[in-house]
Amino acid sequence: MKDSIRIASGQGFWGDLPNAPINQVRKGPIDYLVMDYLAEVTMSIMQKQKLRNSDYGYARDFVGVVSEILPDIAEKGIKVISNAGGVNPEACKEQILKAIEEQGYNDIKVAVVDGDNILGNLDALIEEGHPLNNMETGEPITTVKDELLSANVYFGSRPIVEALNKGADIVVTGRVTDTGLTLAPMIHEFDWSFDDYDKMSAGTIAGHIIECGGQVSGGNFTDWEKIDDFVDIGFPIIEANPDGSFYVTKHDGTGGLISKQTVKEQLLYEIGDPTEYITPDCIADFTSVNLEEAGSNRVKVSGIKGRPETDTYKISASYNDGYKLSSTLVYSWPGALKKAKRAGEILQGRADALGLEYKDFRVEYVGVNGCSEQPITDELLEDEQKEVQMRVSLSGKSKEDLNRFGKEVAPLILTGPSGVTGFAGGRPKASGIVAYWPALLDKAAVSPRIRIY
């Protein structure tokens, strides 16, 4: 058993800094590189890509990263774990194996973890008595089944641990939890028991802290002005110990900041009840976390408690839910806000006069309430803003009606208030809305699959 291991975050989402994972393997020592590419909407995007091209459906950026760092994997013994496989981990694996062969490495093992994609099995699951009710509304999934784009199980760390136990150097998964990517190497290296829930929770919280990449090392930080160097921001590293305690740090000489406050802010990211952070591996208690400054850009995390996991997996499904359209115009002084407000009223009046089908008609005034959403008051109307962007948005089931509305925006230039600009780019077009369907599924109904190449 190692005294400690260093697990580095290389991506916080699909589209994160391209050089971050390369810097993580080359700017200092690490044992594992974990890369999170998947958000809820990402699965639907990948599913659409796969429908257009059966060789797609995964984070293709990941293959380029692996190709670049193959010498580091081979020479330094670094292991890579990522959910970049999306809805097509087999295709992702094939490209990685091709890169390995082209570079002449013969002993790098690639594992694929899948079985999470249940889109093709929904009818059987429903017949077996799994209604996959929406966790928020209680509706059965049959109400949207014909519009479904994706449906994936959130697996946890167990299949990744099995892959590592079988000697995998690179683990490519479909939909596993962000936290499971980091927890798995701790279980593997320290021989933790899956029913040691304090340690399971410690690894889970470690994964939560680094799952968003640079967000815990100074990015998107409330006190952002304390950050001297955003250009070369260092991505976070977990230095984990066998007893479940760990340090959050980054490579020496990199930018950004890791402090108790940056860690606290990340701990609060995307959690509900802090005493019940539910994953497939455990239920972690965030209120048990103890933080200590342990040096420059180094925070110790300890004291974490947890409870047994539930008997269900969470399902992340997405479906087509109509269309949306947005457009903007900019109005200038004098009376910029009054003009913009009147323009929005004109557009809604014309939509109603045409008898268009729509819902959620919304007008925002960027520069006044586009972010704060404060109501428009008489005082704001009297304020002399130099310019205001009017942003109009609406949605509906009829793509044709929304596109017809889009023809009403440009005519405001000559048929509405004066002092308007920002109308280049042509008529706005309606685009599809992808909606989220969260559900639960008995763990006994589905199993992950692990294969080594």
Side-chain angles (χ1 to χ4, degrees), residues 226-298:
K226 294 181 179 179
I227 312 302
D228 294 328
D229 183 5
F230 278 112
V231 174
D232 185 32
I233 188 169
F235 270 45
I237 296 169
I238 294 294
E239 189 175 296
N241 302 314
D243 66 358
S245 65
F246 59 89
Y247 295 86
V248 188
T249 186
K250 63 185 182 70
H251 286 315
D252 292 339
T254 58
L257 172 70
I258 288 177
S259 68
K260 282 177 66 174
Q261 198 60 34
T262 66
V263 174
K264 286 179 179 180
E265 288 196 10
Q266 177 59 30
L267 282 169
L268 294 174
Y269 176 75
E270 284 189 345
I271 63 169
D273 182 346
T275 67
E276 290 190 341
Y277 186 80
I278 302 172
T279 77
D281 299 297
C282 63
I283 299 175
D285 182 358
F286 277 56
T287 66
S288 65
V289 174
N290 181 60
L291 301 180
E292 303 172 55
E293 295 280 5
S296 176
N297 293 302
R298 189 172 174 83

Side-chain angles (χ1 to χ4, degrees), residues 17-56:
L17 288 174
N19 287 335
I22 297 167
N23 289 337
Q24 288 289 62
V25 301
R26 295 186 179 162
K27 289 197 171 185
I30 62 170
D31 299 291
Y32 288 85
L33 177 68
V34 297
M35 304 175 67
D36 176 27
Y37 284 90
L38 301 183
E40 284 72 24
V41 72
T42 311
M43 302 302 289
S44 62
I45 295 171
M46 290 179 168
Q47 187 67 45
K48 286 182 175 180
Q49 291 179 344
K50 186 180 179 183
L51 289 172
R52 290 194 296 266
N53 185 330
S54 61
D55 292 329
Y56 287 1

Side-chain angles (χ1 to χ4, degrees), residues 56-79:
Y56 287 1
Y58 63 93
R60 300 194 298 279
D61 300 355
F62 176 67
V63 176
V65 170
V66 172
S67 298
E68 173 72 19
I69 66 173
L70 276 175
D72 303 274
I73 295 171
E75 295 164 17
K76 302 174 185 176
I78 295 170
K79 294 182 182 292

